Amino acid sequence: EVQLVQSGGGLAQPGGSLRLSCAASGFNFFTYAMNWVRQAPGKGLEWVSVVGVTGGNTHYADSVKGRFTVSRDNSKNTLFLQMTNLRLDDTAVYYCAKGVGPISRFLDHWGQGALVTVSS
Amino acid sequence: SYELTQPPSVSVSPGQTARITCSGDELPKKYAYWYQQKSGQAPVLVISEDTKRPSGIPERFSGSSSGTLATLTISGAQVEDEGDYYCYSTDSSDDEKGVFGGGTKLTVL
């Protein structure tokens, strides 16, 4: 059974940093792309980022490019999202999600979500 | 930037057929995926690659796509099908960004 267990998140000040983690199990982590998706309070879903199987192929939404960095540790089956220079509109529940292929943005399993609140 | 357009809400009575549409210029070339999200929960995949139903998803869920319109159909909708439904695809930019529709709130009552 595919499981994605998220940790991290919490409260940060504008301009601050946070790191999210997503521990994967139940599948060959190193053969699938991994994505991040977020959902602002009361709003719809927004795709944030994807990382390919080796970690060297990364892409970002324009809203986070240059501020967020996605990475993965295949030896620990773990995905990360380093968020810097946080803004008020980054407040959201962040989900990690498994891609359906080695670089796929299409998603088939999701983590439970982690709330990030940016506030002064 | 690329957009997928969904109706904000759809309402049906139990046992009726609910249809949720998703319009996008790239859909003739790109797959549509559909996700169900119930209140306070993570999204769940209900349709992949326009028409495929993942294991564990009830047979009443089906998908179709024609031209620039993808459709999620729930035949004989149940009260437990209430929630938000999102279509999802990718754009045709060099870095192929993911794109969600705005979501459709399905009410079954």
Side-chain angles (χ1 to χ4, degrees), chain A residues 80-104:
Chain A
F80 303 99
L81 185 67
Q82 179 69 48
M83 303 180 290
T84 63
N85 194 16
L86 284 162
R87 309 188 306 214
L88 295 176
D89 62 358
D90 292 319
T91 295
V93 174
Y94 285 74
Y95 296 99
C96 63
K98 173 184 166 292
V100 302
I103 190 52
S104 181

Side-chain angles (χ1 to χ4, degrees), chain A residues 13-65:
Chain A
Q13 291 190 333
S17 300
L18 278 176
R19 188 173 88 152
L20 304 179
S21 300
C22 173
S25 61
F27 65 102
N28 291 327
F29 181 74
F30 61 94
T31 63
Y32 291 93
M34 295 296 295
N35 292 252
W36 290 98
V37 174
R38 69 183 181 182
Q39 187 170 36
K43 303 297 185 182
L45 300 170
E46 179 189 14
W47 177 83
V48 172
S49 180
V50 62
V51 58
V53 293
T54 64
N57 195 344
T58 59
H59 300 278
Y60 300 90
D62 291 343
S63 56
V64 306
K65 193 176 294 184

Side-chain angles (χ1 to χ4, degrees), chain B residues 5-14 16-22 34 70-74 77-79 81-85 103-109:
Chain B
T5 302
Q6 298 180 234
S9 63
V10 167
S11 183
V12 297
S13 299
Q16 288 188 327
T17 295
R19 293 183 179 85
I20 300 172
T21 58
C22 174
W34 291 92
T71 303
L72 172 69
T73 300
I74 308 172
Q78 305 297 309
V79 172
D81 298 331
E82 280 199 344
D84 295 320
Y85 289 82
T104 298
K105 183 174 183 59
L106 174 66
T107 302
V108 183
L109 54 72

Side-chain angles (χ1 to χ4, degrees), chain B residues 44-94:
Chain B
V44 172
L45 176 66
V46 294
I47 294 290
S48 67
E49 295 184 1
D50 295 341
T51 62
K52 296 180 179 179
R53 191 176 59 251
S55 63
I57 301 301
E59 289 185 8
R60 60 181 180 271
F61 288 86
S62 64
S64 63
S65 187
S66 178
T68 60
L69 193 71
T71 303
L72 172 69
T73 300
I74 308 172
S75 303
Q78 305 297 309
V79 172
E80 60 262 33
D81 298 331
E82 280 199 344
D84 295 320
Y85 289 82
Y86 294 90
C87 65
Y88 177 71
S89 189
T90 61
D91 67 14
S92 294
S93 64
D94 288 344

